[in-house]
Amino acid sequence: MNKFFHPKSIVVAGASADKDKVSNNIIANLLEMRFGGKIFPIGRNGGEVYGYRIYRSLTEIPQTADLIVIMVPAVGVPDLLEDAGKAGIDRAVIISDGFNESGAEGIRLAEQIKQIASRYSIRFIGPNCQGVICLESGVCVPFAPLFRHQVKKGGVSIITQSGSIGWIAATSLSHEMDGISKVASIGNKLDVDELELLRYLIEDPETKIIVLHLEGFSDGRKLFEYTRSSKKPIIILKSNISGKTSQIALSHTAALASDDRVSDAAMGQAGMLRAGSLREMLEMCKALTLPILNGRNVAVMAGSGGLALIGEDSVLRQGLGMAKLPEDLLRKIAQMGTWKRLNITNPVDLGGFFNNLDILDAVESVLSQREVSGATLSLFRTKEYDSPLTCAELVDQIEGVCKRHAKPIALHFVSDFFPWLK
Amino acid sequence: MNKFFHPKSIVVAGASADKDKVSNNIIANLLEMRFGGKIFPIGRNGGEVYGYRIYRSLTEIPQTADLIVIMVPAVGVPDLLEDAGKAGIDRAVIISDGFNESGAEGIRLAEQIKQIASRYSIRFIGPNCQGVICLESGVCVPFAPLFRHQVKKGGVSIITQSGSIGWIAATSLSHEMDGISKVASIGNKLDVDELELLRYLIEDPETKIIVLHLEGFSDGRKLFEYTRSSKKPIIILKSNISGKTSQIALSHTAALASDDRVSDAAMGQAGMLRAGSLREMLEMCKALTLPILNGRNVAVMAGSGGLALIGEDSVLRQGLGMAKLPEDLLRKIAQMGTWKRLNITNPVDLGGFFNNLDILDAVESVLSQREVSGATLSLFRTKEYDSPLTCAELVDQIEGVCKRHAKPIALHFVSDFFPWLK
């Protein structure tokens, strides 16, 4: 599998002198991500793209390559794969669609590429996928544009049946937390499937957390075995609860919903963390980067009594308990804010704390208590509360407190800043 | 109740020539919201604030007033209320804290203000609250600053036990949907409670949707009766699932969680819509402004296959069904995007639609089908998809389609724009 993520040379089949062709985005992405290896575009009309000569066929290329990325109409894929085999290329990413997902002719073509690949011992990802991204090597072969400012290098790797979910996870995890290591969009998974990739990522030193987005299992039993053997957390976003095997099959809600209950139980037993939504998947990744809760006693802190009580509800709903805080600590905190509150307990109402260094001080004092296993902190992020630390600085400092005490803090901001339409 | 929201004159007790005193925010808020009536600040040291003379006591004020807003230390509240009664003021908002929520002395003061209010037939909201906001009259008496750009006038009214939840709801609903009509923060609700306010809002012509945030019920049976009689939707965010009656009481998780299950069932039976979180409450408000689903067949449209399938899962989880779309319509849509897809069905994959007028056209065609009761639409909101219509224009147009066909569309955007820390 490593050759898919760390090839030294890549052939991109489907390149065109017409810069607007979507397949050229593959080359653009490799350049954008500073892929350090060699790039050989091929396209039947030749010419030039991004300063590279476009070879008319694989036989013109001066050397063999580690990987070929194919984005030409489905009917042209078998010949290209045959050429690749002859040229000694044994890894392919097949982006093209029009195979087993699309009718009789597609199914025939799917069989054909499987045979050719097997004859030449070519391992391939796809078809009907966005291929791989690896932020360590700069490999980035989706045809969907990806820019450096959208992603950063971190510890989450993603195996996904949907290229767009991979894109969403990669960009969101890069903006909301440490970032990603690798993405593998596997599409129809006619050869390489989630099992092989999972095994690879479990061993991959750069990967700390694994996210699976699957619409169907290749082999559930094996998947759950691998998961049980993994020391790394595995989050699964399983969609297609109706269990459709083709887009045309109609769903019979009741029967199929029970199938989902079965697989849900199996995932749980294997220790997979199942996310109910994309948003939950992102939050789970963030939670997993925090220190582990080493007990069940949580301190709830909030910038208002209303939020404090909602925080306590969340703690109780999760089956956790509220930490008992010593009276002298509570008295100390009560004297800190701008308004002196007498009645402080856990949940700790930080209303009237307009200097966020006071907030930081209160958080540090609470988390340093031995009886506190972790905390939640719900704050307003409006102008009044943004001082003297900026919000970003405050978040950094709170992360520091977390790490110093090896206890998790779940952070929640309420803002009056709603910029999405602008 | 109407006098609380439409007073012609307001006394603000607790004003100070020291502009930084938090109680002066009440006057600042009234000015900011262009309250059209008279304002009479009173404060024991006199002076001037915001160009107003500060009267030293109620007896100095040249006329009686419709409402007095009190934010002085708790111990001073009984005398003020007595003065108000003598001056013929029969509505009060008591912002001050330090009453029955805070120990023996507070409980004594609470009893005292109840007696005084009863003797003079003063109806009061509070204490320990943020009072009322009414965007029709410009009444806005919270001490938390509120600015005109943060709120707009719309059809949601909010009764809340927590002032901050009122602030969050008011600002969020103003930015994410049509806006708000009234907010009543009732705090300790020693006199006016959620029941009276609910009855008022059920009749209030400006209020279309009612949101309740409660930490405890004054009279559950009556609340559910009123709800059943209401033609307006009532959303409830019930927090304090542990059922604590004081902040000091410790929670006994298991026993108290079952109390919440009982009240949950009662709320459901009464036809209240219970929101599990602040976010869910906001989404419910938005959903209620859409036309009602007049059947159970939903069309799912999405900018990618992965999102489409997640959309279908959501429809099935809600117990709804997938609409059958006619083949000629599917063929027409398949010919519209930049990439021609053959395999379109419901869910409708709008991958490759880079011109958002095409998206709009597809949405209109789908929603105009008789067999479609409503739709979900999941789109990317990145630069590539922002043309020729801007995202805001596209949203406006989609709202138009909704209304034209009197069918709801649930809209979901995925963005690569993450500005919160900036």
Side-chain angles (χ1 to χ4, degrees), chain B residues 196-215:
Chain B
E196 279 185 280
L197 285 161
L198 180 60
R199 204 139 74 162
Y200 169 72
L201 292 177
I202 287 173
E203 300 299 326
D204 175 36
E206 310 283 346
T207 298
K208 311 295 176 205
I209 297 169
I210 299 167
V211 172
L212 286 169
H213 166 65
L214 293 177
E215 294 170 351

Side-chain angles (χ1 to χ4, degrees), chain A residues 17 53 58 96 111 113 140 195 209 225 251 295 306 312 320 335:
Chain A
R53 171 184 165 187
L58 256 176
S96 321
E111 274 312 308
I113 61 170
C140 183
L195 296 167
I209 297 169
E225 263 168 40
S251 48
E312 178 173 5
L320 298 168
Q335 288 314 307

Side-chain angles (χ1 to χ4, degrees), chain B residues 266-372:
Chain B
M267 290 181 249
Q269 250 185 328
M272 279 184 169
L273 303 163
R274 186 177 190 182
S277 66
L278 261 169
R279 174 48 47 201
E280 200 181 355
M281 180 269 277
L282 299 172
E283 299 300 329
M284 281 179 165
C285 286
K286 287 192 253 179
L288 285 167
T289 61
L290 296 174
I292 286 172
L293 207 61
N294 62 6
R296 57 185 302 282
N297 298 321
V298 180
V300 173
M301 290 171 276
S304 91
L307 290 176
L309 219 45
I310 289 177
E312 179 172 4
D313 284 350
S314 302
V315 166
L316 299 179
R317 281 205 187 95
Q318 296 297 325
L320 298 167
M322 296 291 287
K324 276 185 202 165
L325 298 178
E327 280 206 23
D328 55 342
L329 172 68
L330 293 172
R331 257 195 301 274
K332 183 194 137 197
I333 293 173
Q335 287 314 305
M336 281 166 52
T338 307
W339 318 331
K340 310 302 171 204
R341 288 181 174 267
L342 293 170
N343 220 356
I344 286 190
T345 173
N346 184 21
V348 182
D349 183 348
L350 300 178
F353 279 60
F354 293 108
N355 178 316
N356 56 25
L357 288 175
D358 285 345
I359 292 176
L360 202 58
D361 190 1
V363 170
E364 176 97 50
S365 313
V366 167
L367 217 64
S368 66
Q369 299 298 313
R370 211 161 50 83
E371 48 276 61
V372 171

